[in-house]
Amino acid sequence: MGAALSEDRFIDVDGATLRVRSAGEGSAVVLVHGWALDLDMWRAQIERLSHWYRVIAFDRRGFGQSTGEPGIERDVLDIDRVLERFDIEHAAMVGMSQGARVALRWALRHPQRTSCLVLDAPPAEGLPRPPGGEEIPIDDYRELLRREGIDAFRRLWLQHPYMQLHSDDVSARQLLREIVDRYPAKDLLMQQRPFSSPVEARDLRRLPVPTLVLSGEYDSPQRRSIAKLLAETIQNARLHTIAGAGHLAALDAPDLYTRTLHGFFSSQAARAAGIG
């Protein structure tokens, strides 16, 4: 089966306009991007996974080309609206970094609609935070943005260890720069609010969804530690390391990353839950 051409559309949902990209046919896979990124981080995965699945990615509100006020809880509700527009009842959820917060919350809210779950480079959710402190100095970035403007922030963010690609692929590096150049930093200008639905360890232990936790071989020790503990806590989860990749494994090792997703979606547990 050949990959279908991807299609971008803009849909209005609850006070925001979201850029959404879809491609392919079959069981649905939803891709949720990380912080300061957008749906184009999934460009390779959308193209290749659409050989077998109906792949949907969207710019979370306030990121990329989507409007609206950013917020994790809003993102969870936006997935509901996007799936309604595409008339999709069940889906596999893939969330990267901050996007893993969104994917996990959607799966906890809709376990019967989640065929399987992939948490890539997840932050600590319902777990004790490992030693090492905050790895993203949000307050410092917010002050830099206010003092020197968004271009100064973007330059500094591209130097963060999370943003370092281990691939020699020039096109991947160019794509990452283009994505960061689109980041509007709306969330940095907002007053931070606590999540209205914090995840607890007991929520993780009760999650019945087949789960794959991904960790880049060269991601930070803190994120690798979180991934390991999360995989041990979720009852039906396993951990997989993406060799040769850092925090941005989907960009660093797109072929291996895509094969890993397809292998998981094709596994007995995931197919039994409805992805096949």
Side-chain angles (χ1 to χ4, degrees), residues 8 19 21 30-49 55-60 63-65 94-100 118-121 157 162-163 165 169 171-180 182 214 245-255 257-258 261:
D8 278 14
R19 178 174 67 138
R21 183 173 300 166
V30 176
L31 306 172
V32 188
H33 67 79
W35 184 65
L37 301 169
D38 61 38
L39 68 78
D40 277 307
M41 69 157 285
W42 303 113
R43 185 176 293 175
Q45 287 72 42
I46 295 170
E47 176 185 352
R48 295 163 197 181
L49 288 173
V55 186
I56 297 170
F58 66 102
D59 288 349
R60 293 160 50 207
F63 292 88
Q65 298 180 42
V94 181
M96 181 266 167
S97 198
Q98 190 182 71
V118 179
L119 303 174
D120 173 17
W157 176 235
Y162 283 179
M163 293 292 101
L165 293 179
D169 187 347
S171 63
R173 296 175 182 276
Q174 177 61 31
L175 177 59
L176 179 59
R177 286 192 294 270
E178 292 173 0
I179 290 171
V180 173
R182 285 195 292 267
L214 295 180
H247 188 67
L248 298 169
L251 287 169
D252 243 342
D255 289 336
Y257 191 98
T258 304
L261 291 184

Side-chain angles (χ1 to χ4, degrees), residues 236-276:
N236 194 12
R238 60 185 178 90
L239 176 68
H240 182 84
T241 298
I242 303 293
H247 188 67
L248 298 169
L251 287 169
D252 243 342
D255 289 336
L256 179 56
Y257 191 98
T258 304
R259 289 199 304 271
T260 300
L261 291 184
H262 181 44
F264 175 59
F265 297 154
S266 302
S267 68
Q268 182 176 0
R271 289 179 66 86
I275 185 63

Side-chain angles (χ1 to χ4, degrees), residues 81-152:
R81 303 285 92 72
V82 169
L83 293 183
E84 286 173 7
R85 295 297 181 93
F86 286 92
D87 194 26
I88 292 170
E89 180 64 25
H90 300 87
M93 288 289 150
V94 181
M96 181 266 167
S97 198
Q98 190 182 71
R101 295 188 189 275
V102 180
L104 176 61
R105 280 171 168 73
W106 197 87
L108 287 168
R109 190 169 298 179
H110 303 288
Q112 302 307 316
R113 297 181 62 193
T114 310
S115 52
C116 59
L117 175 66
V118 179
L119 303 174
D120 173 17
E125 284 283 6
L127 302 170
R129 184 174 298 278
E134 293 289 347
E135 295 193 303
I136 300 178
I138 291 295
D139 290 340
D140 293 345
Y141 286 155
R142 184 176 289 115
E143 178 58 30
L144 176 66
L145 177 66
R146 290 172 175 160
R147 188 177 66 248
E148 300 185 31
I150 194 167
D151 288 339

